[in-house]
Amino acid sequence: MKRNPPPWLIDEEPNSDPESVALLRQRAERLMRLLLPHETWLLGAVANGTADEESPIYLAHVAEQSKDLAMHLVNIEIDADTVSLEALGGSESDPRRSPKIGLDEGFHLEFEGSLVQIRTVPRAQGLRRLSGIPLPELQALNIAASDITPTTPRHED
């Protein structure tokens, strides 16, 4: 039986804007590269292509705890607020059928004008079913999108 994703992963009435999706994916890629060597996955409307210009960027940071990422954010001079978050997925009525993914900690920050939420998850298992995209796949998507995105016409002399 296929489950619906958590409501924060999709817009109820998506106002998808392909240009905004491309811009936000490029912005997410730049942030994810700054966060290396930490493994991060892009989630939500930006990942699944339903984002508009106002959509926040959701990232999952794969680690047992968020302390190392917090130190990394300080070292690369990105201000972030530590926040408590609800775990991804899960079912209170039957936690065995749909285990929760994630810890109760994460970060809120602003990056290049976009709101970003980073949540720490203990393992990447389950992120793909939430339409998660790891950095290498995001880079490939961005390259493919730049190949088909209309560019300014060239003036030939």
Side-chain angles (χ1 to χ4, degrees):
M1 178 177 184
K2 188 171 182 176
R3 294 180 331 169
N4 292 329
W8 65 269
L9 282 176
I10 58 171
D11 294 326
E12 290 294 322
E13 296 177 28
N15 297 322
S16 181
D17 173 13
E19 289 180 17
S20 294
V21 170
L23 175 71
L24 290 167
R25 283 180 174 171
Q26 291 166 2
R27 193 170 288 159
E29 178 186 341
R30 286 191 294 275
L31 177 57
M32 291 166 75
R33 290 171 58 112
L34 285 174
L35 297 178
L36 287 172
H38 298 276
E39 180 184 357
T40 54
W41 286 58
L42 178 63
L43 301 171
V46 178
N48 68 29
T50 61
D52 63 24
E53 64 186 26
E54 303 284 323
S55 296
I57 296 171
Y58 292 103
L59 298 178
H61 161 241
V62 181
E64 291 299 319
Q65 59 183 354
S66 62
K67 183 176 135 184
D68 291 339
L69 182 60
M71 292 302 298
H72 186 76
L73 289 168
V74 169
N75 290 338
I76 61 173
E77 299 179 358
I78 291 181
D79 293 327
D81 296 323
T82 304
V83 295
S84 293
L85 303 167
E86 291 182 29
L88 297 175
S91 167
E92 298 204 10
S93 62
D94 188 359
R96 293 168 293 138
R97 279 195 52 219
S98 51
K100 291 187 175 184
I101 301 170
L103 304 176
D104 295 332
E105 54 195 32
F107 304 96
H108 282 170
L109 57 105
E110 187 174 325
F111 182 75
E112 296 181 2
S114 289
L115 297 176
V116 179
Q117 181 185 90
I118 304 173
R119 111 178 14 256
T120 300
V121 297
R123 60 192 170 281
Q125 180 183 3
L127 292 177
R128 190 156 315 270
R129 78 174 156 79
L130 296 174
S131 301
I133 303 173
L135 179 57
E137 290 179 23
L138 179 59
Q139 291 170 318
L141 272 174
N142 286 340
I143 289 169
S146 68
D147 288 343
I148 60 172
T149 302
T151 58
T152 314
R154 296 182 192 177
H155 297 285
E156 295 185 21
D157 296 325

